[in-house]
Amino acid sequence: MKRTPLLEEHARLGARLVEFAGWEMPLYYAGIVREVEAVRSVAGVFDVSHMGELIVRGAGALDLVQYVTTNDASSLEVGKAQYTLLCDEKGGVIDDLIVLRLEEDEYLLVVNASNTEADREWIRGHNRFRAELRDLSGERAIIALQGPASEGILQRFVESDPTTLRKMHAIHERVGEVDAWISRSGYTGEDGFELFCASSDAVVLWRLILEDGAVRPAGLGARDVLRIEAGLPLYGRELTRETTPVDAHLMWVVHLDKGEFLGRRALLDARERGPDQTLVGLSAEGRCIPREGHVVSADGAPVGHVTSGTYSPTLKRGIAMAYVRPEKAEVGSRVEVDVRGRPCPCSIVSTPFYRAAKAVSTITK
Amino acid sequence: MIPEDLRYSTSHEWVRVDDNLATIGITDHAQSELGDVVYLELPRVDAVIHAGGVYGTIESVKTVTDLVSPVSGEIVEVNEDLPDTPELVNEEPYSGGWMIIVKMESPVEVEELMSADVYERFIQEI
């Protein structure tokens, strides 16, 4: 298994380690419920260094980024980031990612750990713009500080004023001895920051953040609960090659008029036709938790399937995301999920399930 | 610390024997593997159970597992506190987290279960 530079830190903190996308990662430290509560009430810190970091640089950089992604990167000034998708010629999603403009001619693409190699090869295969493409994944670390208190916490060890850093903007900073890019972004539905540094600096940065006793280390278990509560999709669940941005309500990151890009034709058609399936939120009415793969029925007939589900410690009930037939997707309607042979009554609700007072989720308009 | 006075199954249940009554729960190892327990499905009083049979399910944030009975008999009591305070399973696996009490059909079945020492070695080896 691959290891991030923080693996020993996780072990020292007593983390339960698991394999995820070929990486040895912390599932939890004190426990998933406690970590979710910490992020929602104060702050938690996550090691997300397993994610892929690709650099696209040079005169053809913007052209390449524009060609392979769906959102319009030409609107990005230096220090600005956007959520976007890689789509194939059928309009199916290859990955969801963020693009951050670091310099005039340099873009950082932060991609899912499970797709890093495939994304890199996909982009390389379409690089007729002669841009320079580099995979920095092994050399860089990413630490996410998330929660309502994260701004105040960050303030204690950066020179610039984090209160002036807007959502989806990033600055290049010295954090103590460490050189880092800090973006105001996240995947939890809370205010927060993502710090990008060299692998060799990761331990110093991690320990610096944890010196603040108010911050709890939080693992992938809590991260998954938080993002479901925030209604955020996960590649491999809500997003796959068999789903289009139309199905997933992500047409807001598809700019059909920006010029030619991979998947454009198919997405124009998909938008015309409308979706075959549409993503909805489910809130369990009983003591049950719909989980991935469970069949969703309405009026006794199957209408869809669950893509992600969890117990929500914040809402104290089971919640899930599911694809259902569009005509059965009305908010407020009742459905039944087959949970291990027992009916789990749910209502269709709008997402996010939970809305923080101040959120900076990367995947929100 | 694995309580000395209990017996243990390979599916990580513990049994406390009082005459022909067996109180059953899951071990500290089991609750630790599960993580924070959120829901339990427990049987009704009077249900009949067989050794090795499933008597309910236990669900944590991330997973759900069957509860397996180490003994056969009739269920005479069920822990009514658990559905509302499932965290008792994590916090007090050998006391407050007890699940059912069975009037044993064949008390000799308990002898096939592991002692504390054997169970301790068992979990070290898995």
Side-chain angles (χ1 to χ4, degrees):
Chain A
M1 279 188 284
K2 293 184 251 196
R3 338 174 108 202
T4 76
L6 297 171
L7 184 60
E8 269 175 44
E9 300 299 297
H10 304 319
R12 276 179 348 109
L13 289 165
R16 162 65 66 106
L17 299 170
V18 289
E19 190 261 329
F20 179 81
W23 293 78
E24 192 168 7
M25 299 297 289
L27 181 65
Y28 58 82
Y29 305 80
I32 294 177
V33 171
R34 251 171 296 181
E35 289 163 30
V36 169
E37 286 169 353
V39 172
R40 293 261 177 255
S41 58
V42 182
V45 63
F46 300 83
D47 174 11
V48 291
S49 307
H50 59 317
M51 298 190 71
E53 296 184 64
L54 305 174
I55 292 284
V56 178
R57 184 194 282 147
L62 177 59
D63 287 336
L64 178 56
V65 172
Q66 286 288 67
Y67 188 62
V68 298
T69 66
T70 59
N71 204 347
D72 187 0
S74 70
S75 64
L76 295 175
E77 69 263 24
V78 170
K80 179 78 174 61
Q82 68 183 196
Y83 178 56
T84 185
L85 306 170
L86 297 180
C87 282
D88 63 19
E89 296 89 344
K90 297 199 184 111
V93 180
I94 295 173
D95 206 1
D96 66 335
L97 64 153
I98 68 163
V99 170
L100 166 59
R101 188 176 189 184
L102 299 177
E103 304 286 343
E104 177 88 17
D105 276 345
E106 186 173 356
Y107 296 82
L108 169 66
L109 279 57
V110 185
V111 299
N112 281 292
S114 53
N115 296 329
T116 305
E117 279 86 41
D119 291 353
R120 186 188 65 221
E121 294 314 305
W122 174 262
I123 296 170
R124 191 194 304 288
H126 289 98
N127 185 16
R128 59 173 195 264
F129 310 95
R130 315 241 180 130
E132 187 192 332
L133 173 65
R134 281 179 57 203
D135 183 350
L136 292 187
S137 308
E139 305 157 36
R140 311 284 301 167
I142 311 177
I143 293 170
L145 173 64
Q146 302 280 304
S150 49
E151 186 184 80
I153 290 162
L154 195 65
Q155 222 151 13
R156 285 170 218 159
F157 47 80
V158 298
E159 277 172 25
S160 60
D161 182 6
T163 62
T164 63
L165 187 61
R166 286 169 296 157
K167 276 164 70 158
M168 296 304 276
H169 281 78
I171 46 165
H172 199 174
E173 258 276 21
R174 270 198 93 69
V175 186
E177 296 292 291
V178 171
D179 210 51
W181 273 91
I182 305 177
S183 66
R184 195 163 203 147
S185 54
Y187 191 50
T188 60
E190 296 292 333
D191 189 14
F193 303 85
E194 293 174 307
L195 293 84
F196 302 80
C197 68
S199 293
S200 50
D201 288 332
V203 172
V204 168
L205 194 52
W206 176 263
R207 288 185 185 177
L208 190 59
I209 294 169
L210 279 174
E211 255 169 39
D212 189 321
V215 184
R216 272 194 174 277
L220 295 185
R223 190 169 161 81
D224 195 44
V225 172
L226 291 159
R227 68 97 188 165
I228 294 172
E229 289 181 340
L232 303 175
L234 173 64
Y235 193 83
R237 300 292 188 91
E238 290 71 42
L239 303 175
T240 68
R241 294 250 188 166
E242 277 70 55
T243 63
T244 70
V246 180
D247 305 335
H249 307 297
L250 290 177
M251 285 305 283
W252 61 277
V253 295
V254 178
H255 281 244
L256 294 164
D257 50 0
K258 69 168 178 171
E260 194 49 49
F261 63 90
L262 292 168
R264 182 175 179 275
R265 194 82 18 100
L267 292 176
L268 270 164
D269 291 343
R271 191 183 59 171
E272 273 300 302
R273 275 192 338 258
D276 297 319
Q277 54 179 1
T278 200
L279 196 57
V280 296
L282 301 179
S283 177
E285 305 280 315
R287 291 182 172 212
C288 44
I289 303 170
R291 298 208 190 248
E292 185 189 10
H294 290 167
V295 173
V296 181
S297 296
D299 306 314
V303 296
H305 66 280
V306 177
T307 50
S308 299
T310 185
Y311 177 74
S312 162
T314 309
L315 300 163
K316 306 225 187 303
R317 53 172 60 200
I319 57 173
M321 291 193 268
Y323 275 113
V324 301
R325 294 226 303 272
E327 65 273 18
K328 296 291 182 186
E330 197 184 337
V331 168
S333 47
R334 287 283 169 73
V335 295
E336 231 172 53
V337 182
D338 180 342
V339 176
R340 300 183 302 278
R342 302 285 234 353
C344 180
C346 296
S347 338
I348 294 185
V349 295
S350 59
T351 60
F353 299 92
Y354 169 80
R355 203 181 283 273
K358 185 177 178 188
V360 292
S361 296
T362 302
I363 313 172
T364 313
K365 300 171 217 201
Chain B
M1 282 312 313
I2 299 175
E4 296 282 320
D5 58 323
L6 307 179
R7 309 284 296 189
Y8 300 87
S9 72
T10 51
S11 49
H12 308 286
E13 266 85 13
W14 56 262
V15 179
R16 174 177 290 116
V17 178
D18 279 306
D19 287 332
N20 67 336
L21 292 180
T23 305
I24 296 165
I26 66 168
T27 64
D28 184 50
H29 173 86
Q31 71 76 19
S32 168
E33 292 288 300
L34 266 175
D36 297 309
V37 177
V38 297
Y39 290 141
L40 290 116
E41 265 170 34
L42 293 176
R44 282 193 325 270
V45 167
D46 294 338
V48 171
I49 187 71
H50 301 288
V54 173
Y55 68 86
T57 58
I58 183 165
E59 189 156 22
S60 67
V61 178
K62 284 255 128 207
T63 58
V64 60
T65 337
D66 287 332
L67 293 166
V68 177
S69 180
V71 298
S72 313
E74 189 192 316
I75 294 172
V76 295
E77 250 190 89
V78 175
N79 188 343
E80 310 276 295
D81 293 331
L82 280 189
D84 290 327
T85 45
E87 60 272 17
L88 281 171
V89 175
N90 299 115
E91 289 162 17
E92 296 174 31
Y94 300 111
S95 54
W98 71 272
M99 300 201 187
I100 57 172
I101 299 180
V102 177
K103 186 168 79 181
M104 290 187 279
E105 197 180 276
S106 332
V108 70
E109 280 173 338
V110 175
E111 285 166 41
E112 281 153 56
L113 303 175
M114 293 179 268
S115 66
D117 289 335
V118 176
Y119 181 63
E120 180 151 24
R121 278 202 300 280
F122 175 68
I123 55 182
Q124 267 153 28
E125 269 149 45
I126 24 175

